[in-house]
Short mmCIF file of all heavy atoms in Angstrom, two decimals:
data_model
loop_
_atom_site.label_atom_id
_atom_site.label_comp_id
_atom_site.label_asym_id
_atom_site.label_seq_id
_atom_site.Cartn_x
_atom_site.Cartn_y
_atom_site.Cartn_z
N MET P 1 13.43 137.05 -10.05
CA MET P 1 12.49 138.08 -10.48
C MET P 1 11.63 137.53 -11.61
O MET P 1 12.10 136.91 -12.54
CB MET P 1 13.27 139.29 -11.00
CG MET P 1 12.38 140.40 -11.49
SD MET P 1 13.40 141.83 -11.91
CE MET P 1 12.57 142.39 -13.36
N LYS P 2 10.35 137.73 -11.53
CA LYS P 2 9.43 137.26 -12.55
C LYS P 2 9.47 138.18 -13.75
O LYS P 2 9.51 139.40 -13.61
CB LYS P 2 8.01 137.20 -12.00
CG LYS P 2 7.84 136.14 -10.95
CD LYS P 2 6.40 136.09 -10.49
CE LYS P 2 6.22 134.98 -9.49
NZ LYS P 2 4.85 134.89 -9.00
N GLU P 3 9.45 137.56 -14.94
CA GLU P 3 9.44 138.36 -16.16
C GLU P 3 8.05 138.92 -16.38
O GLU P 3 7.06 138.26 -16.09
CB GLU P 3 9.83 137.49 -17.35
CG GLU P 3 11.24 136.94 -17.23
CD GLU P 3 11.57 136.02 -18.38
OE1 GLU P 3 11.36 136.41 -19.53
OE2 GLU P 3 12.05 134.92 -18.11
N PRO P 4 7.93 140.14 -16.95
CA PRO P 4 6.60 140.70 -17.16
C PRO P 4 5.80 139.94 -18.21
O PRO P 4 4.61 139.74 -18.05
CB PRO P 4 6.87 142.14 -17.59
CG PRO P 4 8.27 142.15 -18.07
CD PRO P 4 9.00 141.08 -17.31
N TYR P 5 6.46 139.52 -19.29
CA TYR P 5 5.76 138.75 -20.32
C TYR P 5 6.78 138.12 -21.26
O TYR P 5 7.95 138.47 -21.25
CB TYR P 5 4.78 139.61 -21.12
CG TYR P 5 5.42 140.76 -21.85
CD1 TYR P 5 5.99 140.57 -23.11
CD2 TYR P 5 5.46 142.03 -21.30
CE1 TYR P 5 6.59 141.61 -23.80
CE2 TYR P 5 6.04 143.08 -21.97
CZ TYR P 5 6.61 142.87 -23.21
OH TYR P 5 7.21 143.90 -23.87
N HIS P 6 6.29 137.19 -22.07
CA HIS P 6 7.11 136.50 -23.06
C HIS P 6 6.48 136.73 -24.43
O HIS P 6 5.31 136.40 -24.62
CB HIS P 6 7.16 135.00 -22.80
CG HIS P 6 7.59 134.65 -21.42
ND1 HIS P 6 8.91 134.38 -21.11
CD2 HIS P 6 6.90 134.55 -20.26
CE1 HIS P 6 9.00 134.11 -19.82
NE2 HIS P 6 7.80 134.20 -19.28
N LEU P 7 7.19 137.33 -25.34
CA LEU P 7 6.71 137.51 -26.71
C LEU P 7 7.24 136.35 -27.53
O LEU P 7 8.45 136.23 -27.73
CB LEU P 7 7.20 138.85 -27.27
CG LEU P 7 6.52 139.33 -28.54
CD1 LEU P 7 5.02 139.53 -28.31
CD2 LEU P 7 7.15 140.64 -29.00
N ILE P 8 6.35 135.47 -27.96
CA ILE P 8 6.79 134.25 -28.63
C ILE P 8 6.02 134.01 -29.92
O ILE P 8 4.86 134.38 -30.04
CB ILE P 8 6.66 133.01 -27.73
CG1 ILE P 8 5.23 132.86 -27.22
CG2 ILE P 8 7.62 133.05 -26.58
CD1 ILE P 8 5.00 131.58 -26.45
N GLU P 9 6.71 133.42 -30.87
CA GLU P 9 6.08 132.96 -32.11
C GLU P 9 5.66 131.52 -31.85
O GLU P 9 6.53 130.65 -31.76
CB GLU P 9 7.06 133.07 -33.27
CG GLU P 9 6.47 132.70 -34.61
CD GLU P 9 5.42 133.69 -35.09
OE1 GLU P 9 5.55 134.90 -34.81
OE2 GLU P 9 4.46 133.24 -35.73
N GLU P 10 4.36 131.31 -31.72
CA GLU P 10 3.87 129.99 -31.32
C GLU P 10 3.37 129.21 -32.53
O GLU P 10 2.91 129.79 -33.50
CB GLU P 10 2.74 130.16 -30.29
CG GLU P 10 2.39 128.91 -29.54
CD GLU P 10 3.58 128.36 -28.75
OE1 GLU P 10 4.38 127.62 -29.34
OE2 GLU P 10 3.69 128.68 -27.56
N THR P 11 3.51 127.91 -32.44
CA THR P 11 3.05 127.03 -33.51
C THR P 11 1.56 126.71 -33.31
O THR P 11 1.00 126.92 -32.24
CB THR P 11 3.84 125.71 -33.48
OG1 THR P 11 3.67 125.11 -32.19
CG2 THR P 11 5.32 125.96 -33.74
N ALA P 12 0.93 126.19 -34.36
CA ALA P 12 -0.45 125.75 -34.26
C ALA P 12 -0.52 124.54 -33.33
O ALA P 12 0.44 123.79 -33.19
CB ALA P 12 -0.98 125.39 -35.64
N GLY P 13 -1.68 124.38 -32.68
CA GLY P 13 -1.87 123.22 -31.81
C GLY P 13 -2.16 123.64 -30.38
O GLY P 13 -2.38 124.81 -30.08
N GLU P 14 -2.15 122.65 -29.49
CA GLU P 14 -2.45 122.90 -28.08
C GLU P 14 -1.18 123.28 -27.33
O GLU P 14 -0.12 122.68 -27.55
CB GLU P 14 -3.05 121.66 -27.44
CG GLU P 14 -3.45 121.89 -26.00
CD GLU P 14 -4.09 120.67 -25.37
OE1 GLU P 14 -3.39 119.66 -25.18
OE2 GLU P 14 -5.29 120.73 -25.09
N HIS P 15 -1.32 124.25 -26.43
CA HIS P 15 -0.19 124.70 -25.64
C HIS P 15 -0.63 124.91 -24.20
O HIS P 15 -1.73 125.40 -23.95
CB HIS P 15 0.37 126.01 -26.20
CG HIS P 15 0.78 125.90 -27.64
ND1 HIS P 15 1.94 125.27 -28.03
CD2 HIS P 15 0.15 126.28 -28.77
CE1 HIS P 15 2.03 125.30 -29.35
NE2 HIS P 15 0.94 125.90 -29.82
N LEU P 16 0.25 124.55 -23.27
CA LEU P 16 -0.01 124.74 -21.85
C LEU P 16 1.02 125.72 -21.30
O LEU P 16 2.23 125.50 -21.44
CB LEU P 16 0.10 123.42 -21.09
CG LEU P 16 -0.89 122.34 -21.48
CD1 LEU P 16 -0.55 121.04 -20.76
CD2 LEU P 16 -2.30 122.77 -21.15
N TYR P 17 0.54 126.79 -20.67
CA TYR P 17 1.42 127.83 -20.14
C TYR P 17 1.34 127.86 -18.62
O TYR P 17 0.27 127.67 -18.03
CB TYR P 17 1.04 129.20 -20.71
CG TYR P 17 1.16 129.24 -22.20
CD1 TYR P 17 0.04 129.14 -23.00
CD2 TYR P 17 2.41 129.35 -22.81
CE1 TYR P 17 0.14 129.17 -24.38
CE2 TYR P 17 2.52 129.38 -24.19
CZ TYR P 17 1.39 129.28 -24.97
OH TYR P 17 1.50 129.30 -26.33
N CYS P 18 2.45 128.16 -18.00
CA CYS P 18 2.53 128.17 -16.53
C CYS P 18 1.69 129.30 -15.94
O CYS P 18 1.82 130.46 -16.32
CB CYS P 18 3.99 128.35 -16.11
SG CYS P 18 4.19 128.39 -14.31
N ALA P 19 0.83 128.91 -15.00
CA ALA P 19 0.00 129.87 -14.27
C ALA P 19 0.39 129.95 -12.80
O ALA P 19 -0.17 130.74 -12.05
CB ALA P 19 -1.47 129.49 -14.40
N CYS P 20 1.36 129.11 -12.39
CA CYS P 20 1.72 129.04 -10.97
C CYS P 20 3.02 129.77 -10.66
O CYS P 20 3.29 130.08 -9.50
CB CYS P 20 1.83 127.59 -10.53
SG CYS P 20 3.31 126.73 -11.13
N GLY P 21 3.85 130.01 -11.68
CA GLY P 21 5.12 130.69 -11.46
C GLY P 21 6.28 129.76 -11.13
O GLY P 21 7.40 130.21 -10.97
N ARG P 22 6.04 128.45 -11.03
CA ARG P 22 7.09 127.51 -10.62
C ARG P 22 7.85 126.86 -11.76
O ARG P 22 8.90 126.25 -11.53
CB ARG P 22 6.48 126.38 -9.78
CG ARG P 22 5.99 126.81 -8.43
CD ARG P 22 5.44 125.60 -7.70
NE ARG P 22 5.27 125.86 -6.29
CZ ARG P 22 4.94 124.93 -5.41
NH1 ARG P 22 4.74 123.69 -5.79
NH2 ARG P 22 4.81 125.25 -4.15
N SER P 23 7.34 126.93 -12.98
CA SER P 23 7.96 126.22 -14.10
C SER P 23 9.41 126.67 -14.33
O SER P 23 9.73 127.85 -14.23
CB SER P 23 7.15 126.46 -15.38
OG SER P 23 7.81 125.86 -16.48
N LYS P 24 10.25 125.71 -14.66
CA LYS P 24 11.64 126.01 -15.01
C LYS P 24 11.77 126.19 -16.52
O LYS P 24 12.87 126.40 -17.02
CB LYS P 24 12.56 124.88 -14.55
CG LYS P 24 12.46 124.60 -13.05
CD LYS P 24 13.75 124.82 -12.37
CE LYS P 24 13.76 124.48 -10.89
NZ LYS P 24 12.66 124.96 -10.10
N ASN P 25 10.65 126.07 -17.22
CA ASN P 25 10.62 126.19 -18.68
C ASN P 25 9.58 127.22 -19.11
O ASN P 25 8.79 127.00 -20.02
CB ASN P 25 10.32 124.83 -19.31
CG ASN P 25 10.45 124.85 -20.81
OD1 ASN P 25 11.30 125.56 -21.36
ND2 ASN P 25 9.62 124.09 -21.50
N LYS P 26 9.53 128.37 -18.42
CA LYS P 26 8.54 129.41 -18.73
C LYS P 26 8.71 129.92 -20.14
O LYS P 26 9.84 130.01 -20.61
CB LYS P 26 8.67 130.56 -17.73
CG LYS P 26 8.25 130.14 -16.35
CD LYS P 26 8.51 131.27 -15.38
CE LYS P 26 8.28 130.76 -13.98
NZ LYS P 26 8.88 131.59 -12.98
N PRO P 27 7.64 130.23 -20.82
CA PRO P 27 6.29 130.37 -20.27
C PRO P 27 5.51 129.07 -20.24
O PRO P 27 4.33 129.08 -19.88
CB PRO P 27 5.64 131.37 -21.23
CG PRO P 27 6.25 131.03 -22.55
CD PRO P 27 7.69 130.69 -22.22
N TYR P 28 6.14 127.97 -20.56
CA TYR P 28 5.41 126.70 -20.64
C TYR P 28 5.32 126.01 -19.28
O TYR P 28 6.24 126.13 -18.46
CB TYR P 28 6.09 125.77 -21.65
CG TYR P 28 6.19 126.39 -23.00
CD1 TYR P 28 7.38 126.94 -23.44
CD2 TYR P 28 5.06 126.48 -23.83
CE1 TYR P 28 7.47 127.55 -24.69
CE2 TYR P 28 5.15 127.07 -25.07
CZ TYR P 28 6.35 127.61 -25.49
OH TYR P 28 6.43 128.22 -26.72
N CYS P 29 4.25 125.29 -19.10
CA CYS P 29 4.07 124.46 -17.90
C CYS P 29 5.01 123.27 -17.98
O CYS P 29 5.11 122.63 -19.02
CB CYS P 29 2.61 123.99 -17.84
SG CYS P 29 2.30 122.73 -16.58
N ASP P 30 5.70 122.98 -16.88
CA ASP P 30 6.56 121.79 -16.84
C ASP P 30 6.08 120.80 -15.77
O ASP P 30 6.82 119.89 -15.41
CB ASP P 30 8.02 122.18 -16.60
CG ASP P 30 8.28 122.72 -15.21
OD1 ASP P 30 7.33 122.88 -14.43
OD2 ASP P 30 9.46 123.01 -14.91
N GLY P 31 4.88 120.99 -15.25
CA GLY P 31 4.31 120.09 -14.27
C GLY P 31 4.64 120.46 -12.83
O GLY P 31 4.19 119.81 -11.89
N SER P 32 5.40 121.53 -12.62
CA SER P 32 5.81 121.92 -11.27
C SER P 32 4.66 122.46 -10.42
O SER P 32 4.83 122.70 -9.23
CB SER P 32 6.91 122.99 -11.33
OG SER P 32 8.06 122.49 -11.97
N HIS P 33 3.49 122.63 -11.03
CA HIS P 33 2.33 123.16 -10.29
C HIS P 33 1.73 122.09 -9.38
O HIS P 33 0.84 122.40 -8.59
CB HIS P 33 1.26 123.66 -11.26
CG HIS P 33 0.76 122.61 -12.19
ND1 HIS P 33 1.33 122.36 -13.42
CD2 HIS P 33 -0.24 121.71 -12.04
CE1 HIS P 33 0.69 121.35 -14.01
NE2 HIS P 33 -0.26 120.94 -13.19
N GLY P 34 2.20 120.86 -9.45
CA GLY P 34 1.66 119.77 -8.64
C GLY P 34 1.58 120.13 -7.17
O GLY P 34 2.56 120.59 -6.59
N GLY P 35 0.41 119.97 -6.58
CA GLY P 35 0.21 120.25 -5.16
C GLY P 35 -0.19 121.68 -4.86
O GLY P 35 -0.49 122.01 -3.71
N THR P 36 -0.19 122.55 -5.88
CA THR P 36 -0.52 123.96 -5.64
C THR P 36 -2.02 124.23 -5.77
O THR P 36 -2.50 125.27 -5.32
CB THR P 36 0.21 124.90 -6.63
OG1 THR P 36 -0.29 124.64 -7.96
CG2 THR P 36 1.70 124.69 -6.59
N GLY P 37 -2.74 123.33 -6.45
CA GLY P 37 -4.15 123.58 -6.72
C GLY P 37 -4.34 124.48 -7.93
O GLY P 37 -5.47 124.86 -8.26
N ILE P 38 -3.23 124.85 -8.59
CA ILE P 38 -3.29 125.71 -9.77
C ILE P 38 -3.12 124.86 -11.02
O ILE P 38 -2.26 123.97 -11.06
CB ILE P 38 -2.17 126.78 -9.72
CG1 ILE P 38 -2.38 127.68 -8.49
CG2 ILE P 38 -2.12 127.59 -11.01
CD1 ILE P 38 -1.23 128.64 -8.24
N SER P 39 -3.93 125.12 -12.01
CA SER P 39 -3.84 124.41 -13.29
C SER P 39 -3.21 125.32 -14.33
O SER P 39 -3.38 126.54 -14.28
CB SER P 39 -5.24 124.02 -13.78
OG SER P 39 -5.83 123.12 -12.87
N PRO P 40 -2.50 124.74 -15.29
CA PRO P 40 -1.89 125.57 -16.34
C PRO P 40 -2.96 126.20 -17.23
O PRO P 40 -4.06 125.70 -17.33
CB PRO P 40 -1.03 124.58 -17.12
CG PRO P 40 -1.61 123.25 -16.84
CD PRO P 40 -2.20 123.31 -15.46
N TRP P 41 -2.58 127.31 -17.86
CA TRP P 41 -3.45 127.91 -18.87
C TRP P 41 -3.31 127.10 -20.14
O TRP P 41 -2.20 126.81 -20.58
CB TRP P 41 -3.02 129.35 -19.15
CG TRP P 41 -3.32 130.32 -18.05
CD1 TRP P 41 -4.50 130.47 -17.38
CD2 TRP P 41 -2.43 131.30 -17.51
NE1 TRP P 41 -4.39 131.48 -16.46
CE2 TRP P 41 -3.13 132.01 -16.52
CE3 TRP P 41 -1.11 131.65 -17.78
CZ2 TRP P 41 -2.55 133.05 -15.80
CZ3 TRP P 41 -0.54 132.68 -17.06
CH2 TRP P 41 -1.26 133.38 -16.08
N ARG P 42 -4.43 126.75 -20.76
CA ARG P 42 -4.44 125.89 -21.94
C ARG P 42 -5.09 126.64 -23.09
O ARG P 42 -6.17 127.20 -22.93
CB ARG P 42 -5.24 124.63 -21.63
CG ARG P 42 -5.34 123.64 -22.77
CD ARG P 42 -6.28 122.48 -22.40
NE ARG P 42 -5.95 121.88 -21.13
CZ ARG P 42 -5.26 120.75 -21.00
NH1 ARG P 42 -4.85 120.09 -22.05
NH2 ARG P 42 -4.98 120.27 -19.79
N ILE P 43 -4.42 126.64 -24.25
CA ILE P 43 -5.03 127.24 -25.44
C ILE P 43 -4.83 126.31 -26.63
O ILE P 43 -3.92 125.48 -26.64
CB ILE P 43 -4.46 128.64 -25.78
CG1 ILE P 43 -2.97 128.56 -26.13
CG2 ILE P 43 -4.71 129.62 -24.66
CD1 ILE P 43 -2.43 129.83 -26.76
N GLN P 44 -5.68 126.49 -27.61
CA GLN P 44 -5.60 125.74 -28.86
C GLN P 44 -5.49 126.78 -29.97
O GLN P 44 -6.37 127.62 -30.13
CB GLN P 44 -6.87 124.90 -29.05
CG GLN P 44 -6.87 124.03 -30.28
CD GLN P 44 -6.02 122.78 -30.10
OE1 GLN P 44 -5.95 122.22 -29.02
NE2 GLN P 44 -5.37 122.36 -31.15
N LEU P 45 -4.41 126.74 -30.73
CA LEU P 45 -4.22 127.68 -31.83
C LEU P 45 -4.48 126.98 -33.16
O LEU P 45 -3.86 125.94 -33.44
CB LEU P 45 -2.80 128.23 -31.84
CG LEU P 45 -2.40 129.19 -30.73
CD1 LEU P 45 -0.92 129.57 -30.88
CD2 LEU P 45 -3.26 130.44 -30.77
N PRO P 46 -5.34 127.53 -34.01
CA PRO P 46 -5.60 126.94 -35.31
C PRO P 46 -4.47 127.19 -36.30
O PRO P 46 -4.36 126.48 -37.30
CB PRO P 46 -6.90 127.61 -35.76
CG PRO P 46 -6.92 128.91 -35.03
CD PRO P 46 -6.21 128.69 -33.73
N ALA P 47 -3.63 128.18 -36.02
CA ALA P 47 -2.54 128.54 -36.93
C ALA P 47 -1.42 129.20 -36.12
O ALA P 47 -1.67 129.68 -35.01
CB ALA P 47 -3.06 129.51 -38.00
N PRO P 48 -0.21 129.24 -36.65
CA PRO P 48 0.89 129.92 -35.94
C PRO P 48 0.52 131.38 -35.67
O PRO P 48 -0.18 132.01 -36.47
CB PRO P 48 2.06 129.83 -36.92
CG PRO P 48 1.75 128.67 -37.79
CD PRO P 48 0.25 128.65 -37.92
N ARG P 49 1.02 131.90 -34.55
CA ARG P 49 0.65 133.26 -34.17
C ARG P 49 1.68 133.80 -33.17
O ARG P 49 2.21 133.04 -32.36
CB ARG P 49 -0.73 133.22 -33.52
CG ARG P 49 -1.34 134.55 -33.26
CD ARG P 49 -2.77 134.37 -32.81
NE ARG P 49 -3.18 135.55 -32.06
CZ ARG P 49 -4.23 135.62 -31.27
NH1 ARG P 49 -5.01 134.59 -31.12
NH2 ARG P 49 -4.51 136.72 -30.63
N THR P 50 1.92 135.09 -33.20
CA THR P 50 2.76 135.73 -32.20
C THR P 50 1.91 136.06 -30.99
O THR P 50 0.85 136.67 -31.12
CB THR P 50 3.40 137.02 -32.76
OG1 THR P 50 4.20 136.67 -33.90
CG2 THR P 50 4.28 137.69 -31.72
N LEU P 51 2.37 135.63 -29.80
CA LEU P 51 1.59 135.80 -28.57
C LEU P 51 2.41 136.54 -27.53
O LEU P 51 3.62 136.35 -27.42
CB LEU P 51 1.19 134.44 -28.01
CG LEU P 51 0.38 133.52 -28.90
CD1 LEU P 51 0.19 132.18 -28.21
CD2 LEU P 51 -0.96 134.15 -29.24
N LYS P 52 1.73 137.34 -26.73
CA LYS P 52 2.33 138.00 -25.57
C LYS P 52 1.80 137.25 -24.34
O LYS P 52 0.67 137.47 -23.90
CB LYS P 52 1.93 139.48 -25.55
CG LYS P 52 2.61 140.30 -24.48
CD LYS P 52 2.19 141.77 -24.62
CE LYS P 52 2.69 142.62 -23.49
NZ LYS P 52 2.21 144.01 -23.58
N ILE P 53 2.63 136.33 -23.82
CA ILE P 53 2.20 135.43 -22.76
C ILE P 53 2.60 135.98 -21.40
O ILE P 53 3.74 136.41 -21.19
CB ILE P 53 2.83 134.02 -22.96
CG1 ILE P 53 2.38 133.43 -24.30
CG2 ILE P 53 2.48 133.10 -21.80
CD1 ILE P 53 0.92 133.13 -24.41
N CYS P 54 1.69 135.92 -20.46
CA CYS P 54 1.90 136.42 -19.09
C CYS P 54 3.11 135.74 -18.44
O CYS P 54 3.25 134.53 -18.51
CB CYS P 54 0.65 136.15 -18.26
SG CYS P 54 0.82 136.60 -16.51
N GLY P 55 3.95 136.53 -17.82
CA GLY P 55 5.10 136.00 -17.10
C GLY P 55 5.02 136.24 -15.60
O GLY P 55 5.81 135.71 -14.84
N CYS P 56 4.04 137.04 -15.16
CA CYS P 56 3.95 137.37 -13.72
C CYS P 56 2.89 136.54 -13.02
O CYS P 56 2.81 136.57 -11.80
CB CYS P 56 3.67 138.85 -13.53
SG CYS P 56 1.98 139.37 -13.93
N THR P 57 2.07 135.82 -13.77
CA THR P 57 0.96 134.97 -13.29
C THR P 57 -0.19 135.76 -12.69
O THR P 57 -1.07 135.19 -12.07
CB THR P 57 1.42 133.89 -12.26
OG1 THR P 57 1.78 134.52 -11.04
CG2 THR P 57 2.59 133.09 -12.81
N LYS P 58 -0.24 137.07 -12.88
CA LYS P 58 -1.31 137.90 -12.31
C LYS P 58 -2.37 138.29 -13.34
O LYS P 58 -3.36 138.93 -13.00
CB LYS P 58 -0.72 139.19 -11.73
CG LYS P 58 0.38 138.94 -10.71
CD LYS P 58 -0.13 139.15 -9.32
CE LYS P 58 0.96 139.13 -8.29
NZ LYS P 58 1.39 137.80 -7.92
N SER P 59 -2.17 137.89 -14.59
CA SER P 59 -3.09 138.30 -15.65
C SER P 59 -4.50 137.79 -15.39
O SER P 59 -4.71 136.65 -14.98
CB SER P 59 -2.60 137.77 -17.00
OG SER P 59 -3.55 138.08 -18.00
N GLY P 60 -5.48 138.62 -15.69
CA GLY P 60 -6.87 138.24 -15.58
C GLY P 60 -7.38 137.60 -16.85
O GLY P 60 -8.53 137.15 -16.90
N ILE P 61 -6.53 137.58 -17.89
CA ILE P 61 -6.92 136.97 -19.16
C ILE P 61 -5.88 135.93 -19.58
O ILE P 61 -5.60 135.76 -20.75
CB ILE P 61 -7.11 138.03 -20.27
CG1 ILE P 61 -5.83 138.84 -20.46
CG2 ILE P 61 -8.31 138.92 -19.98
CD1 ILE P 61 -5.82 139.72 -21.71
N GLY P 62 -5.28 135.25 -18.57
CA GLY P 62 -4.26 134.26 -18.84
C GLY P 62 -4.69 133.25 -19.88
O GLY P 62 -5.86 132.89 -19.91
N PRO P 63 -3.75 132.84 -20.71
CA PRO P 63 -2.31 133.02 -20.61
C PRO P 63 -1.80 134.34 -21.19
O PRO P 63 -0.60 134.57 -21.20
CB PRO P 63 -1.76 131.85 -21.43
CG PRO P 63 -2.75 131.70 -22.54
CD PRO P 63 -4.08 131.98 -21.87
N PHE P 64 -2.68 135.17 -21.66
CA PHE P 64 -2.23 136.38 -22.33
C PHE P 64 -1.93 137.50 -21.33
O PHE P 64 -2.63 137.66 -20.33
CB PHE P 64 -3.29 136.85 -23.34
CG PHE P 64 -3.68 135.76 -24.28
CD1 PHE P 64 -4.91 135.13 -24.16
CD2 PHE P 64 -2.81 135.30 -25.25
CE1 PHE P 64 -5.27 134.09 -25.00
CE2 PHE P 64 -3.15 134.25 -26.09
CZ PHE P 64 -4.38 133.65 -25.96
N CYS P 65 -0.91 138.29 -21.63
CA CYS P 65 -0.54 139.42 -20.77
C CYS P 65 -1.62 140.50 -20.87
O CYS P 65 -2.06 140.86 -21.96
CB CYS P 65 0.80 139.99 -21.25
SG CYS P 65 1.31 141.48 -20.37
N ASP P 66 -2.05 141.02 -19.70
CA ASP P 66 -3.00 142.14 -19.67
C ASP P 66 -2.38 143.36 -18.97
O ASP P 66 -3.09 144.23 -18.51
CB ASP P 66 -4.32 141.73 -19.03
CG ASP P 66 -4.17 141.44 -17.53
OD1 ASP P 66 -3.03 141.48 -17.00
OD2 ASP P 66 -5.20 141.18 -16.89
N ASP P 67 -1.06 143.37 -18.88
CA ASP P 67 -0.29 144.45 -18.25
C ASP P 67 -0.49 144.54 -16.75
O ASP P 67 -0.19 145.57 -16.15
CB ASP P 67 -0.58 145.80 -18.93
CG ASP P 67 0.04 145.89 -20.31
OD1 ASP P 67 1.01 145.14 -20.58
OD2 ASP P 67 -0.44 146.70 -21.13
N SER P 68 -0.97 143.45 -16.14
CA SER P 68 -1.09 143.44 -14.67
C SER P 68 0.26 143.62 -14.00
O SER P 68 0.32 144.11 -12.87
CB SER P 68 -1.73 142.13 -14.20
OG SER P 68 -3.09 142.09 -14.56
N HIS P 69 1.35 143.23 -14.69
CA HIS P 69 2.69 143.40 -14.12
C HIS P 69 3.04 144.86 -13.91
O HIS P 69 3.96 145.19 -13.17
CB HIS P 69 3.76 142.72 -14.98
CG HIS P 69 3.85 143.28 -16.37
ND1 HIS P 69 3.01 142.90 -17.39
CD2 HIS P 69 4.69 144.23 -16.87
CE1 HIS P 69 3.33 143.57 -18.49
NE2 HIS P 69 4.32 144.37 -18.20
N LEU P 70 2.29 145.76 -14.58
CA LEU P 70 2.50 147.20 -14.42
C LEU P 70 1.68 147.77 -13.29
O LEU P 70 1.75 148.95 -12.99
CB LEU P 70 2.14 147.93 -15.74
CG LEU P 70 2.94 147.53 -16.98
CD1 LEU P 70 2.40 148.24 -18.20
CD2 LEU P 70 4.41 147.84 -16.78
N GLY P 71 0.84 146.93 -12.70
CA GLY P 71 0.00 147.38 -11.59
C GLY P 71 -1.29 148.00 -12.04
O GLY P 71 -1.98 148.64 -11.27
N LYS P 72 -1.62 147.82 -13.33
CA LYS P 72 -2.87 148.34 -13.86
C LYS P 72 -3.35 147.44 -14.98
O LYS P 72 -2.57 146.70 -15.56
CB LYS P 72 -2.71 149.76 -14.40
CG LYS P 72 -1.69 149.84 -15.52
CD LYS P 72 -1.47 151.26 -15.97
CE LYS P 72 -0.39 151.30 -17.08
NZ LYS P 72 -0.07 152.61 -17.52
N LYS P 73 -4.63 147.49 -15.28
CA LYS P 73 -5.20 146.70 -16.35
C LYS P 73 -5.20 147.52 -17.64
O LYS P 73 -5.38 148.72 -17.61
CB LYS P 73 -6.65 146.31 -16.02
CG LYS P 73 -6.75 145.47 -14.78
CD LYS P 73 -6.30 144.06 -15.04
CE LYS P 73 -6.53 143.20 -13.80
NZ LYS P 73 -6.10 141.85 -13.97
N SER P 74 -5.00 146.82 -18.78
CA SER P 74 -5.02 147.54 -20.07
C SER P 74 -6.45 147.62 -20.59
O SER P 74 -7.34 146.96 -20.12
CB SER P 74 -4.15 146.82 -21.08
OG SER P 74 -4.54 145.48 -21.23
S1 FES F 27 4.30 124.56 -13.84
FE1 FES F 27 3.14 126.35 -13.45
S2 FES F 27 1.14 125.83 -14.10
FE2 FES F 27 2.30 124.06 -14.52
#
């Protein structure tokens, strides 16, 4: 079962999040997207921040959760 989202305290710097649903290290990309044609979501944070990261891969604003897992947009 896919998790709806991951609430994480993230460090500053570049981060790659899984957009394909295959990673064994969610919400982070572990390279398992190879061959799918899907690229990970990439963000650059200037400072540490708490993030609500998409866990269902349906978000329209990935890597951030937009409540698509609820079947509606926020
Ligand atoms: S493992 Fe899912 S996008 Fe990289």
Side-chain angles (χ1 to χ4, degrees):
M1 179 174 141
K2 292 182 177 180
E3 297 177 51
Y5 60 84
H6 306 266
L7 194 60
I8 55 174
E9 184 68 34
E10 196 60 275
T11 58
E14 183 178 67
H15 303 283
L16 297 173
Y17 299 102
C18 180
C20 74
R22 290 181 165 187
S23 176
K24 303 241 184 314
N25 187 34
K26 292 175 188 162
Y28 303 101
C29 170
D30 69 356
S32 298
H33 59 270
T36 66
I38 298 172
S39 297
W41 289 311
R42 180 186 309 261
I43 64 167
Q44 183 78 35
L45 289 177
R49 189 172 157 196
T50 300
L51 302 175
K52 186 177 173 184
I53 299 295
C54 176
C56 73
T57 70
K58 305 257 189 280
S59 176
I61 58 168
F64 307 107
C65 175
D66 68 356
D67 288 338
S68 290
H69 62 278
L70 300 175
K72 60 184 178 183
K73 299 285 185 181
S74 56

